[in-house]
Amino acid sequence: MNVADSEIKSLLQSYKKITVYGLSNDLSKPSHYVPVYIRDKGWEVVGTYPKEHNVGGFTIYKSLKDVPKEDRKFIDVFRSSDKIPEVIDEILSLGGTEVIWLQLGISHPEAEKKAEEAGIRVVSNRCLIIEHRNYF
């Protein structure tokens, strides 16, 4: 993670569009209720999910490459830690991403370093709900 704790608030204030990588159709999963929370707090949220769904009223794309480039600047990732290298490779291949946020319990130091070396700000093992409540 190359974002200091002292930078989290300004980071969240700087971006008002978030793409949620792995936005679930299961209402009980964090990968659904976290995006609902952040949308309810004023962010524009779109998601990716391999199976088509419209749960929660989100615009859902089947893959990250289908998400408009202007919506991929801040990507909130809900994938297991072992999948992060392939997620980072996909993000890097598409370009345009400025922030990768790996949710609570998710980290992969080698893949994070690769993203950081490409100039991307990385936050790992942090929950958007918790961080929002800490600062707002």
Side-chain angles (χ1 to χ4, degrees), residues 71-131:
D71 293 342
R72 291 193 316 250
K73 289 182 180 182
F74 187 121
I75 300 178
D76 179 25
V77 179
F78 284 93
R79 292 296 311 252
S80 60
S81 293
D82 65 313
K83 300 291 186 192
I84 297 306
E86 66 189 53
V87 172
I88 297 294
D89 287 344
E90 180 181 6
I91 290 169
L92 293 177
S93 74
L94 294 170
T97 299
E98 298 172 5
V99 176
I100 297 172
W101 187 291
L102 304 177
Q103 279 291 325
L104 194 61
I106 304 171
S107 67
H108 193 287
E110 295 85 13
E112 291 172 44
K113 184 177 181 189
K114 186 175 185 178
E116 291 167 0
E117 289 172 350
I120 297 174
R121 301 183 78 197
V122 178
V123 177
S124 62
N125 193 27
R126 298 282 183 113
C127 176
L128 278 171
I129 291 175
I130 293 168
E131 298 307 323

Side-chain angles (χ1 to χ4, degrees), residues 56-69:
F58 293 101
T59 299
I60 304 293
Y61 298 91
K62 286 193 176 197
S63 72
L64 194 57
K65 70 177 172 37
D66 300 324
V67 177
K69 188 174 183 177

